[in-house]
Amino acid sequence: MRYLLILIVFLAACGPKEESINKFSDDGLVRIYELQDQRNTAELLPLLKAKKESHRIAAALAFASIQDTTAIPYLNQMLQIGQDPMPRRAAAFALGQIGSSKSLGILKSAFDGELFNANRPYIMEAIGKCGDSSTLALFEKVEYTENSLIQGWAYGVFRLGLKGFRSKSLNDRMMKLLNDDNKDLAILASHYVYRDLRGNENNEFVDSLISVARYDEVKDRFSLLANGQDPEDIERSVFGRPWLVKYNTANDYERAQLIDELKREYTSAQLFLENTIKSDSTSAVIKNVAFSKYCAFYPLKKWDVILDALRSGDMALQSLAAIEIQTIHKPKYSSEEKLMINDLYEACINVKSQLKLSQQAETYIDICKAIEALGGEKFEGYQPKYNHPIDWAFVKSIPAEQKVLISTTQGNITLQLFVEDAPGTVSNFLRLVDSGFYDEKYFHRVVPQFVIQGGCPRGDGWGSLNWTQRSEFSNYQSYEAGTVGVASAGKDTEGVQFFITHCPTPHLDGRYSIFARVTEGMDVVNKISVGDKMLKVERIKSVSEESQ
């Protein structure tokens, strides 16, 4: 009997094992990602010294999402004395995401002492993310000939520029990269220079940049700076009978766009916009744009409309009203503003008390900022409570190569999901896909040379469900053309809306969770207009599923 038991145990050990379809068959990794999702710094810190290298890397990258400054000395130690290059790279990346100037000294030292040359660009970019005005000189005085270090330097300068730290010397050097042999580097430089030139009225200079640009992506970026407008377009944007005829035959999204394109301030448009905002039969998509246009056209008459918006009970109008309040001219209020201050303040306090969190987080943030602008309580930021744990059994069932098909009114788009990089986001997305949530949802937002965005249950960009998910930045993914990210109102406020990029958008890196990329159908992405629809969103069977 004893030998029979031994034989059974032996055969069980030699028998076929359940095939892993993603990396989360490793329970150690699951624990690390779960602690990351819980934002549990205390239990993650010891795992920076885990025996398995993959666990040390995952633990370090977890702090790229958590962004807790408590981890800085521990990551510094890992960066300085870690024996293996990949954990050191992860530590540098995490320090960059935390973004504290306290890390600058150790990052500079690590860059000088780093023996694995492929890590040095990551460290340089992290220096840019953590930098301050004193960091400008560091980037100004160095020059490199090796391509990877030039790219690391450029990313560092770009990240530093996003924080508002620029210099003429760095601007000039980035300008010289616009026609670099490295196309990716040229595109990055175009984003930097574009941000430097915004508001510059020197159209001849912009035209000259476009004319000599080597790459279409660079030309497209600078074309956004062109101020010229076709006279025919101007005529179509004038409020009057021809405009109204076109408006009355358009659908809701087309009507919203027509209102948004109104360029000239005419008294005749005032009554139309007022009635549009107040009408119970007008869709939210149209009301939102009409409200913003009214405030832009009639700034001296907008306060009553703003007050009505706060009292409307509609979260979108309340948010838009709060954003207008944030522009109030304190400490020198206009006479009209003074008369409205108390009423606006009381209305904002009332809205705040009635908002449902976390579902209405975006409006809550806007209202809190408005209260501060009106002289009330200082807004210290919003941190949503942990409310939507990851279903790890479901995550483990998702193949690493899982794809999704989005059938739209313009054609089909295929997405490759990144479950191993963003397990929480991908599992939530797939749950919604499997339930049919995205079927018949609209693309409510399209910004040329930027993104298309959809999935809003309201159809206007203000809708969500009764949960939020954690931001997932614990990977090296970046926003290339066709990258899919989750819309949010700030860290850890992600919900159901997603966007797809038209082109590289490096300023989004590390700020919006990346969970997929377009593998087929970028031509369709580029054809999508506001009001186009997702007819059906469904899984594509994986190779492993088809072989079963």
Side-chain angles (χ1 to χ4, degrees):
M1 185 69 180
R2 185 179 64 179
Y3 295 112
L4 178 61
L5 289 173
I6 293 173
L7 179 62
I8 291 171
V9 171
F10 176 76
L11 290 174
C14 296
K17 296 182 180 179
E18 186 177 340
E19 186 179 352
S20 171
I21 59 175
N22 64 46
K23 71 180 184 181
F24 294 110
S25 59
D26 182 338
D27 289 336
L29 280 180
V30 170
R31 180 174 178 236
I32 291 169
Y33 276 82
E34 176 65 14
L35 293 173
Q36 170 189 310
D37 198 53
Q38 295 175 5
R39 302 307 191 229
N40 190 333
T41 294
E43 292 190 38
L44 266 171
L45 287 174
L47 297 175
L48 293 173
K49 296 182 179 181
K51 289 183 179 180
K52 288 182 70 171
E53 181 181 75
S54 62
H55 291 180
R56 295 198 301 277
I57 292 170
L61 289 176
F63 288 106
S65 292
I66 298 173
Q67 299 174 11
D68 186 348
T69 55
T70 305
I72 289 176
Y74 301 89
L75 292 167
N76 284 347
Q77 186 180 36
M78 190 177 194
L79 185 61
Q80 287 290 89
I81 64 175
Q83 296 295 311
D84 302 306
M86 292 302 104
R88 291 201 305 274
R89 176 181 297 183
F93 181 78
L95 287 170
Q97 280 293 107
I98 293 171
S100 171
S101 59
K102 295 178 181 178
S103 301
L104 280 173
I106 203 76
L107 284 167
K108 294 173 185 175
S109 175
F111 178 82
D112 293 335
E114 180 59 59
L115 298 177
F116 188 59
N117 213 38
N119 276 355
R120 299 181 85 197
Y122 290 86
I123 300 173
M124 214 175 315
E125 184 173 359
I127 290 172
K129 289 180 177 180
C130 297
D132 53 29
S133 57
S134 67
T135 317
L136 291 169
L138 174 68
F139 284 100
E140 288 171 342
K141 71 181 182 181
V142 295
E143 290 195 29
Y144 301 102
T145 56
E146 187 178 327
N147 286 336
S148 66
L149 293 181
I150 295 172
Q151 190 145 338
W153 175 88
Y155 267 104
V157 171
F158 180 79
R159 303 300 179 201
L160 193 60
L162 289 178
K163 299 183 73 174
F165 301 114
R166 293 168 176 263
S167 71
K168 186 179 184 306
S169 170
L170 293 178
N171 293 351
D172 291 344
R173 287 176 65 180
M174 290 294 274
M175 190 84 72
K176 292 177 181 177
L177 296 176
L178 291 173
N179 284 323
D180 194 87
D181 289 341
N182 182 335
K183 183 178 179 179
D184 291 337
L185 186 57
I187 292 172
L188 176 68
S190 73
H191 280 265
Y192 179 93
V193 174
Y194 166 80
R195 288 174 170 270
D196 187 53
L197 293 178
R198 280 189 304 188
N200 188 324
E201 296 182 1
N202 189 346
N203 289 337
E204 289 186 9
F205 180 64
V206 173
D207 290 342
S208 70
L209 289 177
I210 294 172
S211 67
V212 300
R214 181 176 176 182
Y215 304 107
D216 288 341
E217 292 85 350
V218 175
K219 291 177 186 285
D220 291 341
R221 178 59 38 186
F222 290 133
S223 69
L224 297 175
L225 294 170
N227 294 320
Q229 188 175 23
D230 190 290
E232 192 174 326
D233 291 335
I234 294 176
E235 187 61 32
R236 283 197 296 265
S237 65
V238 175
F239 183 79
R241 184 174 295 276
W243 184 92
L244 284 168
V245 169
K246 189 171 184 180
Y247 179 87
N248 289 331
T249 58
N251 64 39
D252 285 352
Y253 288 100
E254 291 168 340
R255 288 181 175 186
Q257 188 169 351
L258 283 166
I259 294 173
D260 189 47
E261 290 173 350
L262 283 172
K263 300 297 182 185
R264 296 183 182 177
E265 181 181 336
Y266 284 100
T267 305
S268 56
Q270 182 180 345
L271 184 59
F272 167 81
L273 292 172
E274 282 181 359
N275 290 337
T276 301
I277 298 165
K278 294 176 181 178
S279 172
D280 291 334
S281 61
T282 303
S283 73
V285 173
I286 299 172
K287 282 187 179 184
N288 298 344
V289 179
F291 175 87
S292 296
K293 189 59 64 173
Y294 185 95
C295 292
F297 278 7
Y298 314 111
L300 299 179
K301 301 177 181 179
K302 68 182 181 180
W303 297 108
D304 285 331
V305 174
I306 288 172
L307 195 56
D308 287 342
L310 290 171
R311 293 169 175 167
S312 69
D314 182 88
M315 61 181 291
L317 288 177
Q318 289 168 338
S319 259
L320 293 169
I323 291 168
E324 290 293 330
I325 291 170
Q326 291 167 41
T327 66
I328 230 165
H329 300 92
K330 60 175 187 178
K332 295 181 179 180
Y333 300 115
S334 69
S335 57
E336 181 140 359
E337 288 170 347
K338 285 181 181 178
L339 293 173
M340 299 294 295
I341 292 295
N342 289 337
D343 288 342
L344 291 170
Y345 181 79
E346 289 177 8
C348 285
I349 292 294
N350 187 52
V351 171
K352 181 181 176 182
S353 69
Q354 294 180 8
L355 290 172
K356 296 177 182 178
L357 296 175
S358 57
Q359 190 168 5
Q360 296 177 316
E362 187 167 2
T363 302
Y364 177 83
I365 292 168
D366 292 332
I367 288 291
C368 288
K369 290 179 179 178
I371 290 171
E372 181 179 349
L374 292 168
E377 181 182 0
K378 182 175 176 59
F379 181 54
E380 301 291 350
Y382 171 64
Q383 180 59 52
K385 294 179 180 178
Y386 185 55
N387 62 78
H388 199 60
I390 296 174
D391 181 346
W392 286 107
F394 185 63
V395 169
K396 291 179 181 182
S397 74
I398 302 170
E401 72 275 15
Q402 181 67 61
K403 292 183 178 181
V404 162
L405 178 68
I406 304 177
S407 302
T408 80
T409 45
Q410 293 289 352
N412 293 339
I413 303 168
T414 301
L415 306 182
Q416 166 72 61
L417 303 183
F418 300 147
V419 65
E420 295 191 339
D421 289 327
T425 306
V426 168
S427 59
N428 288 332
F429 177 73
L430 271 182
R431 285 285 196 201
L432 294 168
V433 167
D434 292 345
S435 71
F437 173 83
Y438 289 111
D439 297 352
E440 300 297 315
K441 293 291 189 296
Y442 289 95
F443 289 101
H444 63 270
R445 180 180 182 229
V446 176
V447 183
Q449 288 300 304
F450 188 37
V451 299
I452 64 172
Q453 185 169 322
C456 174
R458 282 175 47 118
D460 65 347
W462 296 91
S464 60
L465 298 182
N466 62 352
W467 50 263
T468 53
Q469 57 186 325
R470 300 296 204 182
S471 302
E472 293 184 297
F473 308 137
S474 302
N475 55 72
Y476 300 118
Q477 297 285 358
S478 59
Y479 277 95
E480 306 166 6
T483 302
V484 189
V486 191
S488 76
K491 184 170 172 286
D492 294 340
T493 64
E494 287 84 345
V496 299
Q497 296 182 43
F498 66 92
F499 59 87
I500 306 175
T501 57
H502 287 132
C503 58
T505 50
H507 62 287
L508 301 183
D509 293 348
R511 295 173 56 204
Y512 294 87
S513 301
I514 293 173
F515 71 96
R517 189 161 286 122
V518 174
T519 56
E520 294 179 52
M522 269 308 294
D523 59 325
V524 176
V525 172
N526 292 328
K527 287 192 291 186
I528 293 290
S529 299
V530 170
D532 276 322
K533 187 185 289 186
M534 293 179 254
L535 301 173
K536 188 170 182 60
V537 184
E538 58 190 328
R539 295 196 198 207
I540 298 174
K541 279 192 174 183
S542 66
V543 174
S544 58
E545 288 174 320
E546 289 178 346
S547 63
Q548 290 176 358

